[in-house]
Each structure stands twice: as C-alpha cells, then as structure tokens.
Amino acid sequence: MTQSAADAASGRAVRAADRAHLANVETQILELERSLSSLKEEKEAIRDRLAIYTYPVLTLPNEIVSQIFVHFLPAFPHYPPPIGLLSPYLLCQICQKWRDIALATPALWSVISLSFHKAGRVPQKLHYLQTSIERSGSCRLSLKLATRLDDSYLAELVHMVIDHFRRVEYLDLSHWPAFGFPTDAELSLPFLRGLKLGDYFNAPVTRIMAPVLQQVVLQDFGGLDNSFFPWSQLTAITVEWIRLDGYSYLINQLVNVVYCNLGLCATDQLSLQDVTLSHLETFILRIFLGNHLPPGSGIMATLTLPALRRLQITETLLAGEDDPVNSIASLVTRSGCNLRELSIPDASTAHERYRDTFPSTSITSEALDSDIIVPFLMEWEDEDEESSDSDDEFDADSED
C-alpha cells in the first residue's frame, strides 16, 4: 500500500472515531439537560414553597412588634443616638413592613438627643428634630439638646422647642449655656418632671409653670428664687456651683426634697438659720474647686435631717469644727436618723474613728452612686457625634 493510501485510511479511522465520540457526547448532553431540567423544576418548587412560607416573627400583630421596638431603645434616662446602633432608624432598615411599623410607633421618636455644634449642619439637625417630633404624635417628649453655637444660628431651634413645651416631660439643656427663654410671658410645661439647665440662668427669666416638676439640675445657682422655680415641690436637686448665701436661701426652700447634691463655693461668713428637712434621704455636700468655707460657718450644726440615710461630705466643709466626727455624730443624734452610708472622699481622720462612732454605717471614701438613686440626675458627657458621623451618613439615615 502506498503512503498516500495509508494516510487516507488513517484519516477515515480518525473521523469514524470522532463520529462515535460525538454521538456519546450528544447522548451525555441530553442526559445532563434532562437532569438540569429536573433540577430547575425542583428549584421552582422549592421557591414556590418558600414564597408561601411566612416567618413567625412576621405573623405577630403590628401592635406587638411596636412594643418590641420600644424596648429596643436604651432605657431612659439614656437617650438613643440619632443614627447607628440603638437608633430608631436602624429598625427602618430591616424590611418594608418593619419600617412602616417603626415610623408609625410614636414612642420611638419621643426621646430625642441632638447636639448642634457645627453651623453647616444645623438645617439637617433641625429637619431631624422636626420630623421626630411630628412622628412622636401626642407622646410626652424627652429632649436633650446641646450646642456651642451662638443664638444667631439657633433662633428657629429655640422656637421649635418652645412650641412643644406643653408635651415635654424631661428637658436637658445642661450643655446649652444660653437657651433663649422668652422674658415676656409665663411658660407652661404641665407635664415637666425633670429639668437640667446650663450656666446662663443668673438673671431673672420667664416664670416656669411646671406643677409636676420634681427633679432639677443647675450648673450655677445665681440667685434664682420662687419667681422662677417652685422649689417647695422638688424632690431631687443638684446644683454644681452655689455660693454660701445662695445655699442659705435654697436649703430653706427644699421642704420636700429627698435627694440633694450641692457644690458650695465659699463666700463671706454668713449667719445660717436652723433648718429641718423631714424627707431628705440622700445629702451630698461638696466644696467647689477646692474652696474653703469660712472658719466656724457651722453648716452641719444648722441641719436636722430625720430621714437621712446617705451622707457624702468633705472634711474641708468641717474645717471650722472642733472635731469632724463629732459634728456628724451630733447631726445624727439630733436628727434621730438611721444613717446607712457615709462617704468622706477627703478624710484625713482615720476611718476607724468613723467606724467606731457609726458601727452600723458603711464608711467609704468613694462618692455615693447617685446615678442609681436618681437616674435623671446622672452626669452627661456631651458626646459630639459629628466627630464620627459624616453629613452623608446623617442625611441617609434620617430620610423620611
């Protein structure tokens, strides 16, 4: 057989083998296509079953989901952030149904904390505040507002807040030094229970009509009197800075106070009057920024506190007394109280002397945990959320 005949025979054999292999490949393809078709049918059947399945949580009545949402927020007096974790807007990002429920739950939007530290962001924050107030419906409002801007940027904000005073239950302006209360009319806050004010309130301002107000925090007591506050109805008060003459006036007005925390600033010696506070259980008396009372002020000797249970006092306050331990013992004996906790942060006298004198009393150098006693009076760090949240993030999360 010639070479050319051999090559032709070899070619025919290769083509015959390819035709046989092609037939096998086509057979496999048909089998795979039938398997794929079967799998597609199975996939659609599974999708159909899933489509008609309802997750149990989505079968809950809207009213129940709404109550669950309310408990998602941090417990008062902690405030939810305007965006991010623990924000009510987070609940709007799960699904459309939950978004609708969240937006229709007034209590989610009635506790509002905002800082206004950058002028360029004031309009966005105002929009957020206005939207939240509208969504809160008729709920009582708790507002915590802070700013370092001057009044020229905040006139609209002040009016917005004042317009809703009749619904405010707790109002924290402790980091708003110069909130612009109007001065030509009485302000009615019929549901106000707690109020914190900054440093502005030295001059007479509008009389606040707050028949249920019980808890007050002042940065500075600057001669405020009964024309501003109904002191006699308060049950808890903190004043960060108060002169001795202001103390002399104030302490006689607090006839129903249960918790009292005062930071004294020394002034000239005054003749203090005797005072009995029948309901006072927790009394914290501090010296402001290392001041000293005038010798012989006798501040402890003027007090009778029958209900006293917790006392925090500095020995600096007792500098004019012959013996700080005896001064406190005289207060306890005179009052007939059951003193359970005694805190003396700057004690130079050995604690053993206090323990010998008060064997059934817990003696400590640690400050009393006042946050547990009256949570609303807890100190608040002014957290500037602008440092961590961009304008775009705030706008995106606070869209209607």
Side-chain angles (χ1 to χ4, degrees), residues 275-278 300-306 331 334-336:
V275 59
T276 298
L277 301 177
S278 301
M300 296 299 288
T302 64
L303 297 170
T304 301
L305 311 172
L331 167 66
R334 180 172 61 253
S335 302

Side-chain angles (χ1 to χ4, degrees), residues 141-317:
L141 294 173
S142 295
L143 302 178
K144 178 191 293 185
L145 304 172
T147 186
R148 292 192 289 265
L149 299 175
D150 61 50
D151 290 346
S152 62
Y153 294 99
L154 302 171
E156 184 178 353
L157 173 59
V158 171
H159 289 301
M160 186 183 302
V161 175
I162 292 175
D163 286 345
H164 296 279
F165 266 177
R166 293 191 63 84
R167 283 204 288 136
V168 172
E169 187 171 14
Y170 291 95
L171 181 61
D172 187 340
L173 301 174
S174 56
H175 289 273
W176 190 336
F179 182 83
F181 280 106
T183 58
D184 57 352
E186 293 181 342
L187 285 179
S188 178
L189 293 95
F191 300 106
L192 184 67
R193 296 185 179 277
L195 177 63
K196 293 183 179 182
L197 298 178
D199 298 328
Y200 171 80
F201 302 92
N202 292 322
V205 295
T206 301
R207 177 176 173 81
I208 291 181
M209 304 299 293
V212 297
L213 179 63
Q214 294 183 324
Q215 302 177 11
V216 166
V217 176
L218 301 175
Q219 297 296 318
D220 177 15
F221 183 88
L224 299 176
D225 55 29
N226 280 321
S227 66
F228 184 72
F229 274 133
W231 302 109
S232 61
Q233 74 187 40
L234 299 184
T235 61
I237 184 170
T238 293
V239 182
E240 295 297 331
W241 191 94
I242 183 170
R243 291 162 53 94
L244 193 58
D245 51 354
Y247 164 85
S248 180
Y249 168 80
L250 178 63
I251 201 70
N252 285 277
Q253 312 303 316
L254 302 176
V255 294
N256 286 306
V257 72
V258 176
Y259 172 94
C260 184
N261 184 340
L262 305 177
L264 289 178
C265 176
T267 57
D268 293 336
Q269 183 171 349
L270 293 175
S271 176
L272 300 175
Q273 298 179 349
D274 291 342
V275 59
T276 298
L277 301 177
S278 301
H279 307 287
L280 183 58
E281 296 180 4
T282 300
F283 193 28
I284 300 174
L285 205 54
R286 300 170 283 107
I287 286 290
F288 184 79
L289 294 181
N291 281 279
H292 294 270
L293 290 184
S297 60
I299 195 168
M300 296 299 288
T302 64
L303 297 170
T304 301
L305 311 172
L308 187 65
R309 300 292 181 267
R310 292 168 291 273
L311 175 64
Q312 178 181 321
I313 193 166
T314 62
E315 283 195 345
T316 309
L317 276 165

